[in-house]
């Protein structure tokens, strides 16, 4: 594994500077039914293909951002800072 | 065989300058003189060495075959490093060379009898034979001795290397392996004419270039050609016309230009072993005993390395790896004295060594082509030139004595083969390029390439091979793969057994999987497979090429040993006290301090705990006993600078903390401290610590040692994209911290600060910013160890000063420093859970008896939904619970002991110590919830017996927490 990730702040860097967070999902609102929470907590898409993910630039700007990555080829198609909107989850 | 000391003729045609100081190398302990410009192999060959190794399985003698680093035959241990290709390793004075894989010597190898037992290791041997573990256990030691290549030195390579390099070793053993990261615009792999030209062109168009060459000198095959005019037009990018020069002169002129060009960085003795994602090239450079780079100098600090691994990121890649010759198939094709053309030419032209006396040349050109002329110049008599079709077998046991042809036998001591030219396509295949069979050139050539890759020179296309590769007779003595001793017969058998696809044939027979990575055998194994299956070369296809293209040492991949160590600002204070260190993550922490010399009446100071018993002292080490008594009876001090510290500010800070921590923190009054825990969405405990509110929009948070990075990232993640005004700053490195606790803690600190420490003014679970001994401190009144005490956080630069001051001030009260071991005992008596010690990746606050950390009436927080589910589960009795226990007998189970219920393991002890205040073993354990009732008994496995324990939910010491609040 040695692919490059274009950090939205720092530009293209080695994947070893980053930490993978998780697949991007939207968090159920408080009081949602149990099934929603279980699906959100335990079910991963594990997409073999293009997937939206959280990454953190540990050895750089120390920011969380969103990357669109092809998990089969490790090609990072795009990256962006999370949208500035209250609620804490970006979709 | 005796090795004459210096039989070399004076001067030789293509060799290096004369009159340079002589070089002596040691072969199996015997001194051998070498000439400058020699490789280890050429020096040994000149001295009469003909057998360079013994083969992998059958221990057949093997000699120089390719002379260019492409086969397994010349592997030896050089300066302690096993499996070095001696034919491309230059000599240096004092070099220590040892043979491998033969006992006692290469000439007489007892294990060569395994050749007579070749039925013992038929193709697919492992798969067929070791179907039962007992069989494997019996045979393994024998196979390990017989099969294999080289042996790893038990000494670290740094030592082995520096011992033989006095110039390197003066400052002691340095790192044997270095890692270095480079970026370039163009990387050119291959230092032959095509690579040199490509590098010059790229540099001329303004790019920065790294040129990687696995040979000791630039020039590729030009270097070892005869003196005649080299064919073709050679106009350099700067317009200089070099046409008409001889091969070696052309090589020299081009190399000069390259070395002069400041934009080109040359890596000599360097193997590009792989192309990885993100246009990353793995390059391994040998540094020992030679110049390092032609114009790139090794970076400081790495000068002692034997090998260095270069992570080279490039924008464009030019593959100029050229072509090599494959070993043709005929009987006994592995005998010493059978040589590929390149080896003979290199010996003759580069090193002035006569490759033999009487040679037969196998060539499709009637006159034997240029190599015939080269051999004649070197004084070799040409016995005959025969076409490949007529060659039947090589004759001889340890060295070639002659050959059998379809027209009769011929005597010779050298057989020079013009092998099939094979474009070196390993990197191309890794780059995702396809290979297609080109009938016209009779070779596999690169097809489609990714846009950043260009292939030039012979790697892109060769002078057509005169014939398709011949599959050779189906014989046990015809070696397809000299690395793994795979014969044509083996491949025929395997195909018959059903492994008729080239990929399965490879896995079953291990052909192409040895040190040469298919260079000698790929083409011929495809030819054999094609014949046996009746398919064409095209249909048979190639095996998948994966990195590394050549073997590389594991040491070079692992790199230098580098373990960062973190020391607290108080480190020197602990050292002065002579503490015993322990590692906690990257940190060094005092485990304990030396016990004071026995002092009668030492426990006479201050208050005496409820329970004292000297009869139990054998359960506690004396140093713990002394430290424990200091805290419980007088006053103790511990360095807690390793705690993670976060400064959280901004108007939305309360919102963030309420969302992420399980407690409610937005309603805290200024100057208050709360315990707080973090869970993930699955309700699993991640960390806990204290949260202090310093202002409406300002919190100070502590995390467990080593968890700070994670907690900071966790907080930042949950505010990402929220648009909140919060800043989370890691202030761990900037702050020292001590905890001063015990009945005399107040008196000790009172003399140092004007802030009132009386409970009325500074109650339990409060914080104040105060001046202590002139140092600005944040004082937290908390009670992890169960006594009145303060945790002081203050600028790191005052660390030693304040420690010394508190020690001096506390002296009249009998202050003592305590370490981690005593702290763990003290907190255990208070039944405080340590997240990560008493909990694991499946523990939630409900089962861990920490329900109080979760404010379930908060509208939302991370993990709330899961914690609600765990709460509901508690009632069903379906879970494990973390409970306190007291031993009923006087045993003290070890941490990790099994809880036994109904004769089965049913849980585990996470922490257990002898408690001086109870006079028995106490601890925490996960047990089935059916047993988790106060007063209930359960068994713990202690020293092969069952000890009885009683469940308790109360702290063991001062259950009401009165002492904390005093
Ligand atoms: S003879 Fe050295 S690698 Fe082939
Ligand atoms: Zn960044």
């Amino acid at each position: 594994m040695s692919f490059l990730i274009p950090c939205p702040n720092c530009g293209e860097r080695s994947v070893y500077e980053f930490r993978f967070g998780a697949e991007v999902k939207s968090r159920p609102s408080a009081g949602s039914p149990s099934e929603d929470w279980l699906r959100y907590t335990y079910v991963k898409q594990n997409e073999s293909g293009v997937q939206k993910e959280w990454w953190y630039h540990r050895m750089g700007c120390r920011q969380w951002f969103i990357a669109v990555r092809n998990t089969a080829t490790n090609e990072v198609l795009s990256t962006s800072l999370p949208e500035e909107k209250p609620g804490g989850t970006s979709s | 065989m005796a090795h004459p000391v210096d039989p070399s003729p004076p001067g030789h045609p293509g060799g290096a300058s004369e009159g340079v100081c002589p070089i002596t190398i040691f072969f199996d302990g015997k001194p051998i003189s070498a000439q400058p410009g020699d490789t280890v192999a050429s020096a040994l060959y000149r001295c009469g060495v003909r057998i360079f190794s013994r083969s992998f399985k059958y221990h057949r003698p093997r000699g120089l075959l390719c002379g260019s680093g492409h086969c397994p035959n010349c592997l030896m241990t050089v300066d302690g490093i096993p499996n070095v290709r001696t034919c491309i390793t230059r000599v240096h004075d004092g070099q220590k060379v040892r043979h491998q894989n033969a006992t006692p010597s290469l000439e007489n190898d007892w294990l060569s009898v395994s050749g007579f037992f070749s039925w013992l290791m038929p193709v697919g041997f492992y798969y067929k034979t070791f179907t039962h573990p007992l069989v494997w256990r019996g045979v393994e030691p024998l196979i390990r001795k017989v099969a294999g290549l080289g042996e790893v030195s038990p000494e670290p390579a740094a030592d082995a290397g520096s011992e033989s390099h006095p110039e390197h070793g003066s400052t002691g053993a340095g790192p044997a392996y270095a890692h270095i990261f480079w970026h370039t615009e163009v990387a050119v792999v291959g230092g032959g004419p095509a690579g040199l030209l490509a590098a010059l062109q790229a540099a001329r168009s303004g790019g920065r270039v790294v040129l990687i060459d696995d040979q000791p000198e630039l020039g590729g095959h030009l270097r070892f050609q005869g003196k005649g005019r080299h064919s073709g037009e050679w106009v350099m990018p700067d317009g200089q016309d070099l046409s008409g020069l001889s091969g070696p002169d052309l090589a020299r002129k081009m190399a000069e230009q390259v070395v002069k060009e400041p934009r080109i960085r040359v890596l000599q003795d360097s193997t590009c072993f792989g192309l990885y994602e993100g246009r990353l090239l793995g390059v391994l450079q040998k540094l020992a005993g030679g110049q390092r780079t032609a114009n790139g100098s090794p970076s400081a600090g790495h000068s002692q390395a034997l090998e260095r691994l270069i992570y080279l990121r490039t924008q464009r890649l030019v593959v100029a790896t050229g072509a090599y010759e494959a070993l043709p198939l005929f009987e006994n094709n592995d005998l010493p004295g059978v040589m590929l053309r390149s080896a003979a030419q290199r010996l003759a032209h580069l090193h002035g060594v006569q490759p033999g006396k009487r040679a037969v040349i196998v060539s499709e050109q009637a006159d034997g082509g240029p190599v015939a002329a080269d051999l004649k110049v070197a004084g070799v008599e040409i016995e005959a030139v025969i076409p490949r079709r007529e060659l039947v077998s090589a004759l001889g046991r340890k060295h070639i004595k002659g050959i059998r042809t379809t027209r009769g036998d011929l005597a010779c001591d050298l057989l020079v083969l013009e092998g099939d030219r094979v474009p070196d396509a390993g990197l191309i295949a890794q780059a995702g390029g396809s290979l297609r069979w080109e009938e016209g050139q009779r070779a596999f050539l690169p097809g489609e390439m990714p846009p950043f890759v260009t292939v030039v020179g012979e790697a892109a296309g060769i002078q057509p091979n005169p014939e398709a590769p011949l599959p050779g007779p189906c014989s046990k003595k015809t070696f397809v793969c000299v690395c793994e001793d795979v014969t044509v017969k083996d491949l025929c058998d395997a195909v018959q057994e059903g492994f008729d696809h080239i990929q399965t044939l490879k896995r079953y027979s291990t052909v192409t999987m040895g040190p040469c990575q298919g260079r000698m055998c790929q083409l011929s194994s495809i030819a054999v497979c094609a014949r046996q299956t009746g398919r064409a070369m095209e249909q048979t296809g190639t095996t998948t090429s994966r990195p590394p293209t050549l073997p590389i040492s594991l040491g070079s991949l692992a790199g230098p040993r580098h373990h960062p160590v973190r020391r607290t600002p108080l480190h020197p204070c602990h050292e002065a006290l002579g503490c015993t260190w322990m590692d906690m993550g990257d940190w060094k922490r005092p485990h304990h301090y030396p016990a004071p010399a026995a002092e009668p009446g030492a426990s006479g100071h201050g208050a005496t705990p409820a329970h004292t018993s000297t009869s139990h002292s054998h359960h506690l080490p004396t140093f713990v006993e002394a430290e424990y008594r200091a805290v419980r009876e007088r006053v103790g001090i511990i360095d807690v600078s390793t705690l993670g510290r976060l400064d959280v500010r901004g108007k939305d800070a309360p919102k963030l903390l309420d969302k992420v921590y399980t407690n409610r923190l937005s309603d805290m009054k200024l100057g208050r401290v709360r315990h707080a825990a973090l869970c993930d969405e699955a309700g699993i405990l991640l960390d806990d610590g204290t949260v202090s509110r310093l202002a409406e929009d300002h919190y100070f948070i502590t995390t467990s040692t080593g968890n700070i990075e994670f907690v900071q990232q966790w907080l930042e993640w949950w505010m990402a994209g929220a648009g909140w005004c919060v800043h989370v700053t890691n202030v761990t490195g900037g702050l020292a911290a001590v905890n001063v606790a015990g009945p005399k803690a107040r008196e000790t600190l009172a003399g140092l600060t004007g802030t009132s420490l009386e409970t009325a003014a500074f109650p339990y679970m409060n914080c104040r910013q105060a001046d202590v001994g002139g140092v600005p401190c944040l004082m937290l009144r908390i009670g992890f160890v169960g006594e009145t005490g303060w945790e002081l956080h203050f600028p790191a630069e005052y660390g030693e000063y304040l420690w010394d001051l508190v020690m001096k001030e506390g002296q009249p009260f009998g202050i003592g420093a305590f370490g981690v071991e005593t702290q763990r005992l003290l907190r255990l008596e208070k039944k405080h859970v340590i997240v990560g010690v008493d909990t694991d990746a499946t523990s939630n606050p409900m089962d861990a008896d920490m329900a109080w950390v979760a404010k379930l009436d908060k509208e939302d927080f991370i993990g709330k939904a899961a914690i609600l589910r765990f709460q509901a589960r508690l009632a069903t009795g379906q879970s494990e619970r973390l409970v306190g226990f007291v031993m009923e007998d006087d045993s003290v189970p070890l941490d990790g002991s099994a809880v036994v219920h109904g004769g089965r393991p049913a849980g585990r002890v996470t922490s257990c110590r002898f408690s001086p205040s109870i006079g028995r073993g106490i601890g925490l354990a996960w047990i089935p919830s059916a047993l988790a009732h106060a007063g209930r008994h359960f068994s713990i496995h202690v020293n092969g017996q069952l000890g009885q324990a009683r469940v308790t939910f109360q702290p063991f010491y001062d259950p009401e927490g009165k002492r904390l609040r005093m």
Side-chain angles (χ1 to χ4, degrees):
Chain A
M1 191 181 66
S2 65
F3 60 101
L4 298 166
I5 298 180
C7 169
N9 293 315
C10 312
E12 204 172 59
R13 300 296 182 91
S14 158
V15 65
Y16 286 99
E17 293 188 9
F18 298 85
R19 172 195 151 188
F20 173 77
E23 297 171 4
V24 173
K25 304 183 190 183
S26 61
R27 190 169 181 266
S29 52
S32 295
S34 197
E35 296 74 61
D36 291 3
W37 283 106
L38 288 173
R39 195 173 317 113
Y40 163 69
T41 308
Y42 296 110
V43 180
K44 312 272 187 268
Q45 290 305 314
N46 270 338
E47 196 68 59
S48 172
V50 177
Q51 168 170 290
K52 230 174 176 185
E53 299 167 337
W54 283 103
W55 285 81
Y56 180 76
H57 197 182
R58 208 156 54 92
M59 298 177 189
C61 59
R62 306 184 64 90
Q63 298 283 309
W64 285 97
F65 63 90
I66 288 171
V68 179
R69 178 175 70 109
N70 185 329
T71 59
T73 61
N74 277 337
E75 192 188 350
V76 179
L77 306 169
S78 69
T79 54
S80 57
L81 291 174
E83 283 165 44
E84 293 285 317
K85 69 173 181 218
T89 52
S90 177
S91 48
Chain B
M1 178 186 296
H3 303 294
V5 172
D6 188 6
S8 59
H12 49 78
S17 53
E18 294 164 45
V20 190
C21 55
I23 297 172
T24 304
I25 67 173
F26 297 87
F27 178 52
D28 288 340
K30 285 184 211 112
I32 283 180
S33 48
Q35 299 184 355
D38 259 341
T39 62
V40 173
S42 67
L44 294 180
Y45 201 94
R46 187 182 297 116
C47 292
V49 176
R50 292 295 177 267
I51 302 177
F52 278 71
S53 64
R54 288 278 175 165
S55 76
F56 184 69
K57 271 199 269 184
Y58 306 136
H59 287 250
R60 288 170 65 92
R62 296 278 162 82
L64 285 190
L65 176 60
C66 72
S68 41
H70 289 145
C71 76
N73 281 14
C74 66
L75 298 183
M76 292 191 184
T77 299
V78 178
D79 290 337
I81 300 181
N83 298 333
V84 173
R85 283 157 214 274
T86 52
C87 71
I88 54 168
T89 302
R90 45 181 121 200
V91 289
H92 65 82
D93 201 35
Q95 200 165 31
K96 295 197 176 73
V97 182
R98 299 210 149 266
H99 77 268
Q100 300 182 160
N101 208 27
T103 315
S105 73
L106 288 169
E107 284 292 322
N108 297 297
D109 180 5
W110 297 335
L111 294 169
S112 63
V113 293
S114 67
F116 300 111
F117 295 105
S118 61
W119 54 268
L120 199 70
M121 293 197 198
V123 65
F125 173 62
Y126 286 83
Y127 307 121
K128 287 172 184 162
T129 315
F130 300 115
T131 49
H132 194 282
L134 281 179
V135 181
W136 174 241
R137 230 174 286 157
V139 183
E140 184 194 1
L142 175 67
I143 294 178
R144 293 248 185 260
K145 179 78 191 155
V146 174
L149 294 165
E151 256 173 53
V152 177
S153 150
E155 301 298 314
D159 307 337
S162 56
E163 151 201 285
S164 50
H165 301 287
E167 74 273 24
H168 291 166
S170 53
T171 56
Y177 303 103
H179 282 190
I180 188 165
F181 298 80
W182 282 0
H183 295 257
T184 187
E185 275 139 11
V186 183
V188 178
V189 182
L196 295 175
L197 210 53
L200 286 170
Q201 272 160 355
R204 202 170 168 79
S205 54
R208 283 178 305 131
V209 181
V210 175
L211 175 63
I212 302 146
D213 188 21
D214 62 357
Q215 301 292 322
E217 268 169 67
L218 293 175
H221 67 266
L222 295 179
R223 285 168 63 225
F224 49 87
Q225 286 184 344
K227 287 281 181 195
R229 177 188 189 277
H230 191 76
S231 59
E233 298 281 302
W234 293 93
V235 182
M236 296 296 104
D238 66 353
Q240 203 185 343
D241 189 353
L242 300 180
S243 314
L245 294 177
S246 71
D249 287 342
L250 183 55
R252 206 166 300 129
K253 281 265 180 329
M254 286 175 84
E256 266 165 27
Q257 286 215 2
V258 163
V259 171
K260 266 204 326 253
E261 172 57 60
R263 279 190 286 261
I264 303 177
R265 201 165 191 174
V266 181
L267 288 175
Q268 216 68 72
D269 296 314
S270 299
T271 305
C272 176
F273 60 83
L275 172 64
Y276 299 85
E277 285 170 333
R279 306 183 307 273
L280 175 71
L281 291 171
V283 180
L284 187 70
Q285 186 181 26
K286 285 185 280 179
L287 297 171
Q291 75 187 89
R292 288 138 220 275
T293 58
N295 66 347
S297 56
S299 66
H302 290 160
S303 55
Q304 293 184 20
L306 303 175
E307 287 184 344
R308 100 180 152 171
L309 177 58
I310 299 156
Y311 293 75
L312 180 60
R313 292 269 182 194
T314 185
Q315 301 289 327
R316 290 204 294 119
L317 169 64
V318 179
V319 179
T321 42
Y324 52 82
E325 292 167 290
L327 175 62
L329 300 181
F330 55 91
E331 267 203 15
N332 280 334
N333 59 346
D334 66 331
L335 256 192
V338 174
M339 227 179 243
L340 291 166
R341 185 184 55 173
S342 59
Q345 284 179 315
R346 277 170 184 250
L347 282 178
H349 285 306
L350 290 180
H351 309 298
V353 177
Q354 209 182 47
K357 298 248 176 315
R358 222 172 159 200
V360 171
I361 298 174
V362 175
S363 170
E364 304 312 309
Q365 303 177 49
D367 63 349
V371 69
D374 294 342
L375 289 175
K376 271 182 213 146
V377 171
V380 183
E381 200 186 304
I382 310 287
E383 172 73 19
V385 177
I386 60 164
R388 178 118 52 88
R389 300 203 155 272
E390 290 182 10
L391 178 61
V392 176
S393 69
L395 306 173
R397 276 223 320 125
K398 283 188 182 171
H399 197 271
I400 193 165
K401 292 208 173 71
I403 59 165
R404 178 152 300 154
T405 73
T406 49
R407 291 194 277 172
D409 291 0
L410 293 167
C412 66
D413 67 347
L414 177 67
L415 180 65
V416 176
L417 304 164
E418 277 205 354
D420 293 310
R421 302 287 295 162
V422 182
D424 193 343
L427 272 184
I428 295 164
Q430 286 175 26
S434 55
L435 291 181
R436 62 190 152 72
W437 177 251
E438 192 61 59
E439 197 55 52
Q441 299 181 14
R442 299 187 188 85
F444 284 98
L445 294 182
E448 276 286 288
M449 281 294 133
F452 73 99
V453 182
T454 320
V455 188
V456 299
E458 280 200 302
I462 49 168
Q463 290 285 341
N465 279 316
E467 306 192 64
L470 296 175
C474 194
S475 130
K476 263 196 227 173
K477 293 257 169 69
T478 304
F479 287 82
V480 176
C481 168
V482 279
C483 298
E484 309 259 308
D485 275 353
V486 180
T487 64
V488 176
K489 174 87 166 58
D490 289 330
L491 291 187
C492 297
D493 290 351
V495 169
Q496 196 159 31
E497 287 174 31
F499 298 94
D500 60 352
H501 190 283
I502 189 72
Q503 299 278 15
T504 53
L505 184 62
K506 162 184 167 181
R507 283 158 183 73
Y508 188 60
S509 67
T510 71
V511 73
T512 74
M513 285 161 72
C516 85
Q517 286 289 290
R519 281 179 174 75
M520 291 296 120
C521 51
Q522 163 112 320
L523 194 63
S524 43
S525 62
I526 295 169
V528 172
C529 184
R531 177 185 64 190
Q532 296 304 109
T533 57
R535 297 191 206 114
M537 291 293 276
E538 177 81 78
Q539 293 167 310
T540 306
T542 59
T543 55
T544 310
S545 162
R546 297 183 178 86
T549 54
L550 275 177
I552 50 174
S553 62
L554 290 175
S556 65
L557 293 179
R561 278 164 285 181
H562 176 59
H563 294 295
V565 169
R566 293 195 78 179
R567 297 189 172 88
T568 78
L570 303 173
H571 195 87
C573 306
H574 310 314
E575 221 153 42
L577 290 172
C579 80
T580 300
W581 295 102
M582 68 179 283
D583 292 328
M584 200 182 266
D586 297 340
W587 292 99
K588 290 280 175 205
R589 290 197 73 181
H591 181 266
H592 64 267
Y593 300 87
E599 185 191 330
S603 61
H605 287 283
T608 304
H611 182 100
T612 46
S613 167
T614 48
S615 65
H616 292 108
S617 55
H618 67 275
H619 281 300
L620 272 193
T622 45
F623 52 81
V624 175
E625 173 122 14
E627 293 175 14
Y628 174 88
R629 291 202 182 283
V631 180
R632 288 280 185 254
E633 298 168 8
R634 309 184 307 271
V635 54
I637 180 169
I638 182 170
D639 179 1
V640 291
S641 310
T642 60
L643 288 173
R645 271 74 55 84
L646 287 176
D647 182 276
V648 181
R649 286 179 205 236
K651 73 173 169 44
D652 294 315
K655 230 192 276 182
L656 171 68
L657 299 185
D658 265 2
K659 173 167 181 174
V660 181
Y661 279 90
T662 56
N663 309 32
R664 195 189 301 278
L665 300 170
S666 57
D667 66 349
M668 283 174 71
K669 296 212 176 59
L670 303 194
R672 293 300 305 266
V673 182
R674 243 172 228 176
H675 281 169
L678 290 170
C679 287
D680 64 11
E681 291 282 23
I684 302 301
L685 275 165
L686 299 175
D687 194 60
D688 71 341
T690 60
V691 177
S692 307
R693 191 163 202 178
L694 307 183
E696 279 303 320
D697 58 353
H698 187 187
Y699 292 83
F700 178 83
I701 297 181
T702 61
T703 77
S704 13
T705 297
N707 230 0
I708 177 69
E709 285 260 322
F710 171 80
V711 174
Q712 183 183 15
Q713 288 167 21
W714 185 248
L715 292 180
E716 284 178 341
W717 197 358
W718 288 107
M719 59 192 248
W724 290 345
C725 173
V726 198
H727 291 274
V728 179
T729 312
N730 178 356
V731 292
T732 306
L735 296 177
V738 294
N739 185 13
V740 182
K744 297 289 181 194
R746 180 175 287 116
E747 279 93 327
T748 299
L749 292 175
L752 296 173
T753 180
T755 301
S756 169
L757 304 178
E758 291 310 317
T759 296
F762 198 157
Y764 179 58
M765 294 309 272
N766 271 253
C767 64
R768 302 281 181 270
Q769 274 163 313
D771 186 291
V772 179
V775 178
C777 288
L778 175 63
M779 299 180 78
L780 312 183
R781 188 171 168 192
I782 54 177
F784 190 54
V785 298
E787 303 290 343
T788 303
W790 284 267
E791 198 170 272
L792 274 57
H793 297 265
F794 55 98
E797 49 271 41
Y798 295 110
E800 292 173 70
Y801 167 74
L802 198 57
W803 171 278
D804 290 343
L805 204 60
V806 175
M807 287 298 260
K808 201 166 129 238
E809 202 67 21
Q811 204 177 10
F813 306 105
I815 195 168
F818 63 107
V820 174
E821 177 58 25
T822 300
Q823 186 196 33
R824 293 234 163 130
L825 167 62
L826 293 163
R827 68 89 199 182
L828 193 60
E829 288 197 326
K830 291 298 290 177
K831 211 172 105 20
H832 286 312
V833 169
I834 301 183
V835 173
V837 172
D838 301 304
T839 71
D840 59 28
T842 65
S843 311
N844 65 75
M846 292 302 163
D847 294 345
D849 196 25
M850 291 170 69
W852 55 271
V853 297
K855 286 287 164 288
L856 294 171
D857 58 347
K858 262 202 298 187
E859 196 205 339
D860 188 19
F861 62 86
I862 306 305
K864 180 181 173 186
I867 291 174
L868 281 172
R869 286 199 306 277
F870 289 127
Q871 190 189 37
R873 198 179 67 172
L874 276 187
T876 68
Q878 294 296 307
S879 51
E880 275 197 324
R881 302 285 306 278
L882 183 63
V883 298
F885 67 84
V886 181
M887 295 308 293
E888 296 282 81
D889 46 40
D890 62 359
S891 64
V892 181
L894 295 174
D895 295 355
S897 300
V899 171
V900 181
H901 184 54
R904 295 174 162 278
R908 69 209 173 275
V909 172
T910 58
S911 301
C912 185
R913 292 290 184 275
F914 173 77
S915 161
S917 67
I918 301 273
R920 292 207 181 262
I922 60 165
L924 289 163
W926 287 93
I927 61 171
S929 66
L931 300 177
H933 300 289
R936 202 104 195 210
H937 287 88
F938 65 94
S939 328
I940 297 173
H941 194 258
V942 194
N943 286 333
Q945 288 172 349
L946 290 184
Q948 285 301 305
R950 176 167 44 83
V951 175
T952 172
F953 289 96
Q954 294 275 306
F956 305 98
Y957 175 79
D958 183 26
E960 294 92 47
K962 284 190 194 134
R963 296 177 71 89
L964 298 166
R965 294 178 172 81
M966 283 198 309

